[in-house]
Amino acid sequence: MRTAPGERLEVLVRAQDIQSRVQLLGQHITQDYENKELILIGILKGSFVFIADLARAIDLPLAVDFMAVSSYGMSTKSSGVVRIIKDLDESVEGKHVLVVEDIVDTGLTLNYIYSHLKSRGATSVKICTLLDKVSRRQIAVPVHYKGFEIPDAFVVGYGLDVEERYRNLADVCQVVQS
Ligand code: IMP
């Protein structure tokens, strides 16, 4: 893919590896949620590619909803306080919620979303992330389904961006300044 001036992309996780991992996650989720009312909640914007593939790898009747959040700013981000930009369309009460996230970094955003959804009367709340930067974690969040653990590098592609660029890459790549 063409890059912005001064940027080079290095593939960290190949598209075909992502695809096989997503199929496997879909099989596990299918087994775990059989006969349960499942709702996938994608966290916008980064999860839009992952949730599209994951939903099709799950062989169950399910619902899909989205939330968008943003941090209040640098000072409050460290406390994990986030603002809901787009809330859910449907109630999660009595449903089994699976949060679908692109990447867990410090864990602050997901920690907030997790507590928020639990307080809304969901029967269960679990987390599925494509990528996990374990070494960056500041707060423990329960990650139930995980695609890949990656090192502490800024990555783009498969939904992830830098200033809105590269979300449409099929691979997950590291951006290198050249
Ligand atoms: P956390 O609250 O620090 O866990 O941040 C999670 C959010 O930060 C993710 O949902 C992404 O939007 C963003 N993020 C963290 N690391 C990266 C990265 O390497 N590339 C792109 N976005 C990232």
Side-chain angles (χ1 to χ4, degrees):
M1 176 179 285
R2 280 181 229 173
T3 56
E7 280 177 6
R8 197 162 47 81
L9 300 174
E10 276 177 12
V11 177
L12 198 67
V13 191
R14 290 181 311 161
Q16 61 196 82
D17 295 332
I18 297 173
Q19 291 308 322
S20 18
R21 188 76 191 127
V22 170
Q23 292 309 312
L24 207 64
L25 286 172
Q27 285 168 21
H28 287 157
I29 294 166
T30 302
Q31 284 165 12
D32 295 351
Y33 286 90
E34 200 168 357
N35 300 318
K36 292 182 177 157
E37 192 172 354
L38 173 62
I39 176 160
L40 301 184
I41 296 184
I43 310 301
L44 294 171
K45 300 177 190 173
S47 73
F48 82 104
V49 178
F50 181 36
I51 199 170
D53 284 345
L54 185 67
R56 286 175 292 175
I58 301 172
D59 187 15
L60 293 173
L62 54 78
V64 176
D65 207 342
F66 292 96
M67 275 181 85
V69 296
S70 121
S71 69
Y72 274 113
M74 287 317 284
S75 55
T76 48
K77 196 181 180 208
S78 57
S79 67
V81 177
V82 298
R83 186 159 59 102
I84 296 176
I85 302 291
K86 186 226 167 283
D87 209 340
L88 299 172
D89 292 334
E90 303 294 329
S91 162
V92 294
E93 208 167 330
K95 293 176 188 162
H96 292 273
V97 167
L98 184 59
V99 179
V100 180
E101 180 62 303
D102 50 359
I103 189 164
V104 190
D105 186 24
T106 63
L108 294 171
T109 309
L110 212 43
N111 180 60
Y112 173 84
I113 291 170
Y114 186 66
S115 318
H116 177 79
L117 291 171
K118 279 178 97 168
S119 73
R120 288 205 181 167
T123 305
S124 72
V125 183
K126 287 191 175 182
I127 291 170
C128 177
T129 187
L130 178 76
L131 303 171
D132 190 355
K133 283 191 207 172
V134 205
S135 66
R136 292 261 309 159
R137 199 73 89 253
Q138 286 179 23
I139 190 161
V141 280
V143 176
H144 304 90
Y145 303 95
K146 181 188 302 195
F148 303 91
E149 287 188 5
I150 61 163
D152 178 13
F154 194 83
V155 292
V156 296
Y158 201 70
L160 289 135
D161 73 309
V162 55
E163 292 167 357
E164 296 301 324
R165 296 193 299 280
Y166 306 128
R167 290 193 195 275
N168 56 326
L169 282 173
D171 307 299
V172 168
C173 297
Q174 203 172 330
V175 184
V176 182
Q177 303 302 323
S178 57

